[in-house]
Amino acid sequence: MIYFDAAATTLQKPAAVRAAVERAVNTMSSPGRGSYRATVLAEETAYRCRCAAAALFGMEDESCVVFTHNATHGLNIAIAGLVKPGGRVVITGYEHNAVLRPLYAIPDVELTVLDTPLFRPEKMLEEFRAALDAGVDVAVCSHVSNVFGAVAPMEEMAALCRRAGVPLVVDASQSAGVLDVKMDALQAAFIAMPGHKGLYGPQGTGLLLCNHETKPLLYGGTGSLSRLRQMPPTLPDRLESGTHNMPGIAGLLEGIGYVRRMGTARIARHERAVARTAAEELRKIEGVHVFYRNDEGYGTGVVSFIADGYDCQTLAEAMGRRGVAVRAGLHCAPLAHRSAGTEKTGTVRLSASAFNTNQQAVQFAQILREIVRN
Amino acid sequence: MGYYLLTAPSATRAQKLARLLMQSGIAGRVRRLPTALSSTGCAYAVQVGREHFLSTARLLHGTPEKPRHCYYYDGTTYREVLL
């Protein structure tokens, strides 16, 4: 199989991740719930994972690294904690439903959506500045579009938020493990990310980096301060009720270790190179339209495309039958497709990980060429 | 024989405290706080040896990691002491 769906889940994981998951299933109990070896081992593993994440993402205090089930879970905590009914929120035109639906669920939220064309970060910044000047209470922005790989000028946007005193929530679903995501540089209120994409952890893992007060989304046992009727006041327990996903966390620890050893810059370079090869090959095929910009600061390892006369789902199915894994449709991001003008057609998306090769990108284009030729 | 227990509100906070001590060469063991010592229910502590008390107090003085309570165990009973 040629797997090009890393933007959904990185299927190929470092061997250490798989081994850690299996080891945890066999040896780890509930962290923070006892004194025997299996619970202490779980506790130590969870703590090491927090420390590794804190080091990778520029967090001074590892207690503010909160485990979530995925990025959606973290975004729900952040948004529900910051956005009040009737609140004014600015978002980019490339948000995923993980941002949109939690916002739609809050009554009377006044949304300002940046109307930026694809791969125009300088225009996005200009529109963002204007939105802040007009007055907003919260900003929620994805760092990288999951459909097009377009990179938002997050450092500059974060600086504008700091100046305006507007809390910023960063959806780092597509940037964590690939781009520089640093809390100490961004000083965002929250940064949410999945563990199963660029961090190479298992599904069911995620991180919420906290730099702002919030309220819990789930209430329950934490193994601490049990007589309190409320959730504990301190992180991470305040936001982590119920038993932890220890196999997931143990795997995530190894995934983060892999990213730290490789370095995000090297991973990004590799993924861009693969995507660039794919985009160049795809552009040679008549009737194929490619949405991609490969220079640093604009795009990542994601290439979206459409083919004249082909429904994108049908095309992805045909590729699937030939052993190529891609995702087609609206990618849970209808707004992004509206911004790019592909709302009616959707796109087929290729997304690379550190485990893909240029050769696979060439093969991918060859297979597509055969499909559209017949 | 005796030892000190530095309290922490959660397992993570206790581990953070133990790590901080470790960085200064002070060995601390994370453990559950005896029930009788916690008015709020389950809590955690870092156990340090008697010989490390002064250096621990010096290290944590004025830091956010300074525990709310410190108990000395003399082999039979716990008593709260000022850190």
Side-chain angles (χ1 to χ4, degrees):
Chain A
M1 176 176 57
I2 300 177
Y3 187 83
F4 270 130
D5 200 15
T9 292
T10 48
L11 187 60
Q12 290 98 345
K13 311 284 187 191
V17 171
R18 293 194 300 273
V21 170
E22 193 180 337
R23 205 164 44 241
V25 168
N26 292 317
T27 61
M28 290 183 203
S29 170
S30 303
R33 304 294 197 273
S35 307
Y36 53 94
R37 184 66 201 141
T39 181
V40 170
L41 183 61
E43 225 165 84
E44 287 170 355
T45 303
Y47 184 66
R48 283 172 55 212
C49 191
R50 288 187 214 281
C51 291
L56 180 60
F57 297 113
M59 293 285 289
E60 198 180 309
D61 184 355
E62 62 272 22
S63 310
C64 298
V65 175
V66 168
F67 293 122
T68 58
H69 306 313
N70 42 48
T72 302
H73 180 198
L75 286 165
N76 269 268
I77 293 172
I79 289 169
L82 283 176
V83 180
K84 307 284 177 273
R88 300 163 303 168
V89 181
V90 60
I91 61 173
T92 77
Y94 293 88
E95 299 306 323
H96 188 278
N97 275 341
V99 165
L100 297 174
R101 285 179 173 163
L103 287 170
Y104 294 150
I106 300 169
D108 305 320
V109 166
E110 196 183 303
L111 272 185
T112 301
V113 182
L114 304 184
D115 185 27
T116 320
L118 255 181
F119 305 115
R120 294 284 307 279
E122 67 293 336
K123 177 108 176 25
M124 183 181 279
L125 193 60
E126 203 176 289
E127 290 172 355
F128 190 67
R129 185 182 289 117
L132 291 181
D133 287 347
V136 295
D137 303 313
V138 179
V140 188
C141 300
S142 63
H143 195 174
V144 172
S145 159
N146 68 308
V147 183
F148 301 102
V151 180
M154 196 50 69
E155 279 190 25
E156 293 85 347
M157 289 163 85
L160 289 175
C161 282
R162 288 198 300 276
R163 211 167 302 148
V166 171
L168 168 68
V169 179
V170 180
D171 175 1
S173 293
Q174 302 297 332
S175 56
V178 179
L179 301 181
D180 233 12
V181 178
K182 299 285 186 194
M183 181 60 97
D184 48 4
L186 296 176
Q187 287 299 313
F190 297 98
I191 303 176
M193 63 188 70
H196 65 285
K197 300 181 197 272
L199 297 180
Y200 295 92
Q203 288 109 319
T205 59
L207 298 172
L208 180 66
L209 312 180
C210 302
N211 192 27
H212 196 283
E213 288 290 310
T214 191
K215 61 179 186 188
L217 192 66
L218 296 173
Y219 296 78
T222 56
S224 60
L225 310 181
S226 306
R227 287 200 185 95
L228 286 186
R229 290 184 171 210
Q230 308 82 21
M231 288 296 285
T234 54
L235 291 174
D237 291 22
R238 183 165 178 74
L239 299 178
E240 291 181 1
S241 56
T243 298
H244 292 77
N245 169 11
M246 280 319 301
I249 290 169
L252 180 58
L253 169 62
E254 293 300 330
I256 293 173
Y258 170 79
V259 170
R260 290 179 70 195
R261 283 192 300 279
M262 290 280 286
T264 50
R266 186 173 157 203
I267 291 173
R269 248 193 330 272
H270 176 81
E271 292 181 4
R272 275 199 195 100
V274 173
R276 189 180 311 122
T277 302
E280 283 167 4
E281 292 297 316
L282 289 173
R283 281 181 175 135
K284 292 177 190 167
I285 305 172
E286 202 182 322
V288 171
H289 306 277
V290 179
F291 303 87
Y292 181 65
R293 185 162 174 181
N294 65 11
D295 16 351
E296 199 176 327
Y298 289 92
T300 55
V302 176
V303 181
S304 252
F305 64 92
I306 50 177
D308 289 342
Y310 282 87
D311 172 79
C312 66
Q313 299 283 11
T314 311
L315 200 54
E317 273 180 28
M319 299 201 81
R321 282 195 295 274
R322 286 163 176 80
V324 179
V326 286
R327 183 166 171 192
L330 297 184
H331 312 89
C332 296
L335 189 60
H337 283 283
R338 198 182 75 188
S339 300
T342 52
E343 196 178 13
K344 288 203 174 111
T345 59
T347 58
V348 181
R349 179 190 70 188
L350 167 156
S351 50
S353 80
F355 289 88
N356 287 116
T357 62
N358 279 327
Q359 182 58 35
Q360 287 178 326
V362 173
Q363 274 178 278
F364 173 90
Q366 275 167 354
I367 290 167
L368 181 73
R369 190 175 290 117
E370 284 164 22
I371 293 170
V372 297
R373 198 179 284 157
N374 298 322
Chain B
M1 181 63 191
Y3 58 76
Y4 289 88
L5 288 181
L6 314 174
T7 65
S10 72
T12 305
R13 298 278 169 163
Q15 283 165 316
K16 188 178 179 194
L17 179 56
R19 188 186 195 207
L20 187 72
L21 295 173
M22 177 83 81
Q23 284 164 351
S24 294
I26 302 169
R29 182 167 76 85
V30 174
R31 51 173 288 193
R32 305 273 282 187
L33 190 67
T35 311
L37 301 181
S38 172
S39 59
T40 49
C42 306
Y44 297 82
V46 178
Q47 179 181 321
V48 296
R50 239 176 14 179
E51 68 279 17
H52 294 308
F53 181 73
L54 279 179
S55 48
T56 299
R58 235 177 271 129
L59 179 72
L60 298 178
H61 180 72
T63 69
E65 279 73 31
K66 187 179 172 189
R68 282 183 75 169
H69 303 282
C70 176
Y71 298 95
Y72 177 65
Y73 183 66
D74 61 10
T76 49
T77 54
Y78 289 96
R79 69 184 161 86
E80 185 159 10
V81 295
L82 284 177
L83 186 66

